[in-house]
Amino acid sequence: MRQSPPPRTYRVKSFGCQMNVYDGERMAELLAERGLSAAPEGEDADLVVLNTCHIREKAAEKVYSDIGRLRREDGSSPLIAVAGCVAQAEGDEIMSRAPAVSMVVGPQAYHRLPGMLEKATKGERATDTDMPADAKFSALPARRKAGPTAFLTVQEGCDKFCTYCVVPYTRGAEISRPCSDLVTEAQRLVEAGAREITLLGQNVNAWTGDDDKGRAIGLDGLIKKLAKLPDLQRIRYTTSHPNDMTDGLIAAHGEVDKLMPYLHLPVQSGSDRVLKAMNRSHTADSYLRLLERVRAARPDIALSGDFIVGFPGETDAEFEETLSLVDAVGYAAAFSFKYSPRPGTPAATMDDQIALAVMDERLQRLQAALNRDQLAFNKASVGKVCKVLVERRGKYPGQWLGKSPWLQSVHFEGEAAIGDIVTVELAEAGPNSLSGRLLAPTIA
Ligand code: 5AD
Ligand code: SF4
């Protein structure tokens, strides 16, 4: 491996989930603390971090093609670090197949990136995929920068072992970050300009901690603590597991004004046989009853979910049960995927893998139903007066884009600035956004 001068600029490219976005931001902060600056748009960076995702598709193959594309015209490459879940799952293979990569760092080890970088400039290649995460967060620099909406990882890992999912292997066992650290980090984010914080975790509602008197609290307790930060206006959380929706968390949706009326609660399938084979430990009916309780606590809540079509052995009739569940819920938003065998997971070696053409057809039908419901939800919002948190400028002069409490994208025209919370009347609805009429200027 060649030696290289210490890099001056970096680029972090994050793929996949919001937790990767959070990790990508933290890696950028680590590099900035070491004196590197972000490479300007369109310019080559001296160091590129590919922060990868392994949840679906041919993620590993994508990493190799991304590495290939980093090669410059003169044949040289920047320093390359592969981070994220592909690094965790396939680190050794990346090192042997891709000589241009000098660092492989897993999601629980990226706080050691600066040390690895030092070695890499001397021409040494290094892999660090150690778990668990205990040391990581305390080794990261304090938060200094934030847009109006910020992510805060409160929990990592997963002990649920759904049979299709790679997360328990790449992200490790469930760990919760301590409450006091989270309040401190949230406070910093707010001081840096965040008006909304989304609490993140693979199983965010499994978060547990102790309050300052040493009493055990759950995610609802954490949300109530964060709601006391005066300049924090909105709190969200994702992603939750149905089995960890406690009474307290459900009640919090009716009690805490700053907790936004939106719940992402993956169901994956509407068939009890498939759910059992997925090791989901809930049924279609128990899920629907849970949603009834959530709606009783917060009647206007927007519900969202994740779905997998074509899990091994899924019959036409079982897929129809998923469509019936969708009809019963009326989702405001949803994410749906074709089943993708993940190496090392139990489902990857199950009999009756479903043909791609069948999965394609099922996905199309499911997405048509979900899109129909999303549009219906947006149309039903027309006429409502709500607060919109302004996130950025729109395409046209004088236009702004922001989010409603129900996480809908809303565009409107008038006097505003990024970070404002404005009052808007929702005027017209499309499948992916609404237009609004500005009623009152900034409240905060
Ligand atoms: N194939 C397809 N979709 C998957 N997901 C997780 N693992 C797989 C897989 N092997 C989906 C689930 C999960 C979301 C984050 O990704 O729906 O909730
Ligand atoms: Fe994966 Fe299931 Fe854990 Fe979600 S709950 S991260 S789908 S194993």
Side-chain angles (χ1 to χ4, degrees), residues 158 160-162 164-165 167-168 202-203 241 268 280:
C158 182
K160 300 284 190 291
F161 289 92
C162 299
Y164 50 81
C165 186
V167 165
Q202 264 94 27
N203 252 302
H241 191 286
Q268 315 298 357
R280 286 291 293 177

Side-chain angles (χ1 to χ4, degrees), residues 55-56 164-165 266 268 306-308 337-342:
I55 195 104
R56 286 175 298 274
Y164 50 81
C165 186
Q268 315 298 357
D306 285 346
F307 295 86
I308 297 176
F337 313 101
K338 286 183 271 194
Y339 169 71
S340 155
R342 304 286 75 211

Side-chain angles (χ1 to χ4, degrees), residues 77-384:
S77 293
L79 278 169
I80 301 173
V82 178
C85 290
V86 179
Q88 188 69 37
E90 301 187 16
D92 293 343
E93 201 184 328
I94 294 169
M95 275 301 189
S96 58
R97 267 183 67 180
V101 172
S102 41
M103 292 156 276
V104 164
V105 61
Q108 310 299 14
Y110 64 75
H111 55 297
R112 291 192 284 262
L113 188 59
M116 297 172 79
L117 186 57
E118 222 158 88
K119 283 194 195 156
T121 54
K122 293 187 197 130
E124 289 171 44
R125 304 174 82 204
T127 300
D128 190 345
T129 48
D130 274 0
M131 291 201 212
D134 46 0
K136 179 175 71 184
F137 290 105
S138 49
L140 294 171
R143 312 301 305 265
R144 287 205 194 85
K145 269 195 353 213
T149 63
F151 290 138
L152 173 53
T153 292
V154 304
Q155 180 280 337
E156 283 197 289
C158 182
D159 298 339
K160 300 284 190 291
F161 289 92
C162 299
T163 53
Y164 50 81
C165 186
V166 78
V167 165
Y169 311 97
T170 55
R171 291 271 173 170
E174 273 177 32
I175 62 121
S176 294
R177 295 180 63 195
C179 183
S180 54
D181 292 5
L182 296 171
V183 173
T184 306
E185 190 170 331
Q187 176 75 51
R188 293 276 189 147
L189 287 169
V190 171
E191 282 161 12
R195 317 304 310 280
E196 171 180 294
I197 292 182
T198 301
L199 308 178
L200 298 179
Q202 264 94 27
N203 252 302
V204 70
N205 58 342
W207 183 87
T208 53
D210 293 330
D211 69 6
D212 26 9
K213 299 199 178 65
R215 286 176 306 218
I217 54 170
L219 189 66
D220 51 316
L222 176 63
I223 288 168
K224 285 178 184 161
K225 269 192 168 303
L226 296 178
K228 292 198 186 119
L229 296 175
D231 291 328
L232 178 62
Q233 301 294 338
R234 292 178 162 196
I235 301 170
R236 303 180 185 275
Y237 63 95
T238 197
T239 290
S240 298
H241 191 286
N243 285 16
D244 293 317
M245 283 309 292
T246 59
D247 292 346
L249 185 56
I250 294 172
H253 277 281
E255 293 163 1
V256 183
D257 287 345
K258 290 182 180 181
L259 180 58
M260 290 295 102
Y262 186 96
L263 175 64
H264 180 62
L265 198 63
V267 64
Q268 315 298 357
S269 167
S271 151
D272 288 347
R273 194 207 60 83
V274 173
L275 287 169
K276 194 149 193 269
M278 288 175 162
N279 192 30
R280 286 291 293 177
S281 60
H282 59 81
T283 62
D285 190 53
S286 69
Y287 177 84
L288 291 173
R289 277 188 281 121
L290 178 58
L291 292 189
E292 264 169 37
R293 288 166 54 218
V294 174
R295 276 185 163 140
R298 182 75 206 223
D300 68 333
I301 198 155
L303 296 168
S304 125
D306 285 346
F307 295 86
I308 297 176
V309 300
F311 184 80
E314 184 188 66
T315 64
D316 283 339
E318 286 165 347
F319 171 66
E320 295 291 335
E321 291 182 85
T322 299
L323 292 178
S324 305
L325 181 134
V326 167
D327 289 348
V329 173
Y331 286 97
F335 303 89
S336 48
F337 313 101
K338 286 183 271 194
Y339 169 71
S340 155
R342 304 286 75 211
T345 60
T349 50
M350 283 180 187
D351 293 338
D352 294 329
Q353 299 282 325
I354 304 295
L356 197 59
V358 175
M359 288 206 267
D360 278 333
E361 199 254 341
R362 287 183 188 165
L363 189 66
Q364 267 187 25
R365 287 181 63 202
L366 175 61
Q367 291 189 338
L370 293 168
N371 291 342
R372 171 202 70 200
D373 290 352
Q374 184 168 323
L375 181 61
F377 184 87
N378 288 347
K379 286 206 157 141
S381 308
V382 170
K384 279 190 185 172

